[in-house]
Amino acid sequence: MTANRTVRITGMEMKETINQFEQDCRLNGTRKAVRSLISEAFLIWMDSLEQASVENDEPCRVGVTRTEYSLDKDTVIRITVGMGEMLSIRDAFLISAIVDEQRASREFLMDFAERPKQPINAQRLEQLLSDAFHDPSARPDMKRCGQAINMLFDIIDMIPKPYRAQPFAVISYIMWWMGQEGAMAAAISALAIDDQCSLAAIVCSAVERHIEPAWTSET
């Protein structure tokens, strides 16, 4: 079962979840609110990435793999709201695609999403990104990355346009990390929706300046 892309999520449904999240933050604190919002959705996401890493090479829209997964309406809403409301949530989903669970466990990524300013979390995330960029041996898991991109495109198909900026931005970064030409197009799509989307701007700058991850020099 994959995401049902014939389902269209309304702006009102998105706003209801945003309002609930903001209320939870006020009443219960950010950490509990983040866990309540995305913990189950994140497990579904991570299970799908792990499954893709070890499964077939069936062609898909990004030329890597499409593994079966289940993204229901509630899961899509929670992932989208999380990415839009807190950059730490967006970054946890991003890192999960480009770094395997041996280096970035689910527990760490959830803790980062909840407590991004905790020094040990901030330092760990910065190190993961630095290693991924500078280490020539840090090659992408194409199946894992492709699965993330496929899920994000399915999410984009289901949500209202104003909420698509961060999913497009994450797609752009993953594509840039994979060395795919579609990175710039995805980043431009994000900026067309939100011209303040810093992640998309970073990808555009990297592509324009021909900045690439170290692994690409080894191919």
Side-chain angles (χ1 to χ4, degrees):
M1 175 179 174
T2 61
N4 184 357
R5 285 174 285 147
T6 63
V7 172
R8 292 294 180 266
I9 295 166
T10 67
M12 181 62 69
E13 289 172 309
M14 298 294 296
K15 289 176 182 177
E16 287 175 356
T17 303
I18 291 170
N19 290 339
Q20 182 62 57
F21 176 66
E22 291 175 345
Q23 182 179 6
D24 285 350
C25 286
R26 291 192 298 269
L27 295 178
N28 302 315
T30 300
R31 188 175 186 186
K32 288 183 178 179
V34 169
R35 185 163 291 271
S36 176
L37 177 68
I38 68 160
S39 58
E40 290 186 14
F42 190 64
L43 288 177
I44 292 170
W45 170 272
M46 292 298 292
D47 284 346
S48 297
L49 296 185
E50 284 302 295
Q51 187 180 5
S53 293
V54 296
E55 285 200 354
N56 60 67
D57 292 315
E58 179 182 340
C60 71
R61 82 174 88 190
V62 293
V64 277
T65 181
R66 173 176 286 282
T67 297
E68 294 298 299
Y69 54 84
S70 175
L71 290 181
D72 60 21
K73 190 175 185 178
D74 183 64
T75 299
V76 169
I77 291 173
R78 289 173 180 273
I79 291 173
T80 306
V81 169
M83 285 187 173
E85 290 297 297
M86 289 187 62
L87 296 184
S88 61
I89 294 175
R90 179 204 68 189
D91 291 346
F93 280 95
L94 169 59
I95 291 295
S96 72
I98 67 174
V99 179
D100 63 39
E101 286 200 50
Q102 290 186 334
R103 291 176 292 164
S105 69
R106 301 180 186 205
E107 293 75 18
F108 162 71
L109 292 173
M110 272 301 302
D111 197 50
F112 174 80
E114 297 167 10
R115 303 187 299 167
K117 294 183 180 179
Q118 187 80 0
I120 191 171
N121 286 341
Q123 291 166 10
R124 176 62 177 152
L125 191 84
E126 182 178 353
Q127 188 63 52
L128 287 168
L129 285 171
S130 177
D131 289 347
F133 180 72
H134 293 290
D135 183 359
S137 68
R139 301 177 64 85
D141 180 335
M142 295 297 186
K143 296 179 183 179
R144 187 181 189 91
C145 291
Q147 183 78 338
I149 291 171
N150 284 323
M151 286 193 286
L152 289 166
F153 272 127
D154 286 342
I155 287 169
I156 286 168
D157 285 343
M158 294 172 66
I159 60 177
K161 184 176 178 178
Y163 299 94
R164 295 174 180 175
Q166 294 302 340
F168 266 127
V170 175
I171 288 171
S172 74
Y173 191 98
I174 298 171
M175 284 187 164
W176 168 78
W177 165 242
M178 296 169 75
Q180 292 197 346
E181 294 181 358
M184 176 65 90
I188 291 173
S189 294
L191 290 169
I193 298 165
D194 177 6
D195 61 6
Q196 299 301 309
C197 183
S198 58
L199 180 61
I202 288 170
V203 173
C204 280
S205 177
V207 173
E208 288 174 348
R209 296 164 61 192
H210 304 287
I211 297 172
E212 299 174 332
W215 76 266
T216 60
S217 65
E218 300 296 305
T219 58

